[in-house]
Amino acid sequence: MTTVLDLLTEPISTTAAYLDLREKIRKELPDVVAAHREEMVIERKLPTAVVHKLRALQVFSIAKPTDMGGLGLSSPEQNDIVESISRIDASVGWCVMIGIDSGIYSGYLDDPHHDYFDQPNLISAGWIHPQGSAIQHGDRIEFSGNWQFGSGIDHADRVMAGVKLYDSREDLDYKTERWQWRILAAHPHDFRVLDTWYTTGLEGSGSRHYTTRAETASVPISRSMSFDMPLRQGPLYTGRDAILRKMPGVPLGIAISAFELALEKAQPKYAEQNEDRALLEQRIGDLYSRLYTARAAVHSSLEHQWAAANDPAKRDALHTAVVGAAIARQNAFRVARDIVRESYDITGGRAIYKDHSRYSIDQMLRDIETVNQHAVAQDAIVRSTGQLALSGATTNPFLSRDETQK
């Protein structure tokens, strides 16, 4: 028998590959994560056994097109898979959310023989913000720099690095404004990983800083990419935001688990209460309502964007769809944080104890506070929407109208 709680976890698609993977995750992943949760906290990265299970499930192939050997899931389906894993543990969900970008990057890289992304289940890591400096030298690009937030870098097969590609050696030396934002596709051996990940939450994500191992590193020109120049066609390559679309799966997954735990703790109280029952009913109902509507907004906005990107006749509507997805994404992060905080309060004094035998409300609170520091959760997204409403333009590179008309 189904209940209203099923509305928070029901599948969002009937695609066979998506449903099959979702069921395998439900059956096979929780026990592996639970057995290694304490190791994950101590080592501050995903344990090898967890990574092996994720690889065995083919999780990292979900964004890779089917003609390249991947599962080829849509953006809404990718987000739901990330949500399903984040309900088990947000650090695992976060690393999956980052790691599947290998399938997205493959559509922007000039790699006709699949020499770089040579397998469909590869794990990517790296910060694409242009923190490094680069210059073209012959048929290669030389680069150096320091990057933050290399989530999952300890088990990554490929590492990306955002750079300022300067027009000339003189521009590089004097750090002029004559540069282009490029993302370089490199290998783990090009970098040295720094032990910097001592954080409030997402402890197991291993989001360490990294730097070029030598004074400079180099990659072939063909391994330099830009989100402005996709080399494949399709809805996954119609804008810079493809790597952002599945991000709300993480906070929503945390919030669903927190709500379920709060409900578990509230039910004995509910059975014992008389006069205060209405108050508890109101609190639980309010949390459910906000979580359901936030999740529904994310999924409906992603479906709308995917449909607009997939149909040339709807391309005029793509910009508004991109903006709608960004607003729903930012709202999901904020609403999820409120839900976790209130679930923590409902849990009461027991919430303060750490418990590595399960995904505890203590860990959920620290995880949700950490993920809410990401740029996609900030009020700047709301301001960009205000700019669009008032002037028809925005300086946000992910939300500008020009971005969807390339």
Side-chain angles (χ1 to χ4, degrees):
M1 182 181 69
T2 59
T3 70
V4 292
L5 295 178
D6 295 319
L7 290 175
L8 297 177
T9 58
E10 63 183 1
I12 54 95
S13 167
T14 58
T15 303
Y18 155 77
L19 291 174
D20 181 58
L21 176 58
R22 200 174 191 268
E23 184 64 10
K24 286 180 179 178
I25 289 169
R26 186 186 68 82
K27 290 181 176 179
E28 301 180 29
L29 188 58
D31 288 346
V32 177
V33 173
H36 297 276
R37 180 166 281 116
E38 188 168 6
E39 177 188 350
M40 185 160 52
V41 172
I42 294 172
E43 296 295 327
R44 294 167 291 111
K45 62 181 180 180
L46 291 192
T48 301
V50 175
V51 176
H52 284 172
K53 172 52 71 174
L54 292 169
R55 287 186 190 274
L57 291 171
Q58 298 290 303
V59 165
F60 297 105
S61 72
I62 64 175
K64 199 75 175 284
T66 54
D67 65 350
M68 298 175 71
L71 295 182
L73 301 192
S74 67
S75 292
E77 292 168 336
Q78 292 172 32
N79 180 73
D80 188 71
I81 293 297
V82 170
E83 179 188 283
S84 298
I85 296 173
S86 297
R87 290 177 61 200
I88 301 168
D89 191 285
S91 288
V92 183
W94 188 267
C95 285
V96 168
M97 184 271 296
I98 296 292
I100 65 174
D101 286 341
S102 58
I104 298 172
Y105 295 141
S106 66
Y108 292 86
L109 201 65
D110 183 12
D111 188 28
H113 302 295
H114 310 307
D115 294 325
Y116 184 76
F117 291 115
D118 56 347
Q119 300 172 45
N121 202 30
L122 290 175
I123 303 173
S124 62
W127 202 25
I128 64 171
H129 190 270
Q131 291 297 110
S133 300
I135 185 73
Q136 184 173 332
H137 185 73
D139 61 355
R140 298 185 70 84
I141 293 177
E142 295 180 353
F143 69 99
S144 63
N146 301 283
W147 295 266
Q148 299 172 279
F149 308 126
S151 302
I153 195 168
D154 288 287
H155 56 260
D157 302 301
R158 305 289 184 264
V159 177
M160 317 302 286
V163 299
K164 296 177 180 179
L165 179 60
Y166 286 92
D167 290 354
S168 69
R169 175 68 64 176
E170 182 179 18
D171 291 315
L172 171 62
D173 291 341
Y174 289 97
K175 296 294 187 293
T176 72
E177 293 301 312
R178 291 189 289 273
W179 57 270
Q180 305 170 52
W181 174 30
R182 305 291 289 187
I183 301 165
L184 304 183
H187 287 276
H189 60 69
D190 291 318
F191 304 97
R192 182 164 55 91
V193 179
L194 308 178
D195 188 16
T196 55
W197 195 242
Y198 296 87
T199 55
T200 301
L202 285 187
E203 293 165 304
S205 69
S207 303
R208 311 181 199 277
H209 296 189
Y210 59 106
T211 183
T212 39
R213 185 176 297 277
E215 184 176 348
T216 62
S218 71
V219 295
I221 294 175
S222 61
R223 292 185 186 165
S224 166
M225 54 171 273
S226 168
F227 285 134
D228 293 337
M229 294 180 287
L231 299 180
R232 287 183 64 92
Q233 301 298 311
L236 202 57
Y237 314 108
T238 54
R240 297 170 179 160
D241 75 325
I243 63 171
L244 307 180
R245 296 175 197 169
K246 59 330 194 238
M247 289 192 71
V250 178
L252 288 173
I254 302 171
I256 291 171
S257 286
F259 175 75
E260 290 174 336
L261 187 57
L263 192 61
E264 174 189 320
K265 300 300 182 183
Q267 284 173 332
K269 299 178 185 178
Y270 185 66
E272 297 168 1
Q273 290 176 348
N274 292 313
E275 295 181 358
D276 293 335
R277 272 191 161 198
L279 177 60
L280 189 54
E281 289 168 347
Q282 184 64 38
R283 292 183 75 182
I284 292 296
D286 180 62
L287 290 180
Y288 178 89
S289 175
R290 284 187 283 159
L291 180 52
Y292 174 77
T293 53
R295 184 175 185 266
V298 166
H299 288 306
S300 63
S301 66
L302 286 175
E303 290 285 1
H304 180 48
Q305 181 180 357
W306 190 261
N310 207 27
D311 185 351
K314 296 181 179 179
R315 293 303 290 272
D316 287 343
L318 181 58
H319 178 249
T320 55
V322 169
V323 174
I327 287 295
R329 182 164 53 240
Q330 192 265 355
N331 179 68
F333 273 80
R334 295 310 197 193
V335 169
R337 180 165 66 177
D338 291 342
I339 288 167
V340 175
R341 287 173 173 174
E342 293 180 42
S343 297
Y344 188 96
D345 289 342
I346 290 173
T347 304
R350 289 166 293 184
I352 68 173
Y353 293 100
K354 294 183 178 181
D355 180 4
H356 298 319
S357 67
R358 66 183 299 178
Y359 191 26
S360 67
I361 192 69
D362 162 78
Q363 186 66 60
M364 294 176 201
L365 182 65
R366 290 185 285 116
D367 288 345
I368 200 68
E369 295 291 352
T370 300
V371 300
N372 264 274
Q373 306 316 306
H374 196 281
V376 300
Q378 304 310 306
D379 288 339
I381 303 299
V382 179
R383 181 190 173 197
S384 296
T385 308
Q387 290 175 335
L388 287 166
L390 292 166
S391 68
T394 178
T395 56
N396 187 314
F398 289 93
L399 297 181
S400 67
R401 185 172 295 277
D402 290 343
E403 162 57 16
T404 60
Q405 294 178 345
K406 294 182 174 67

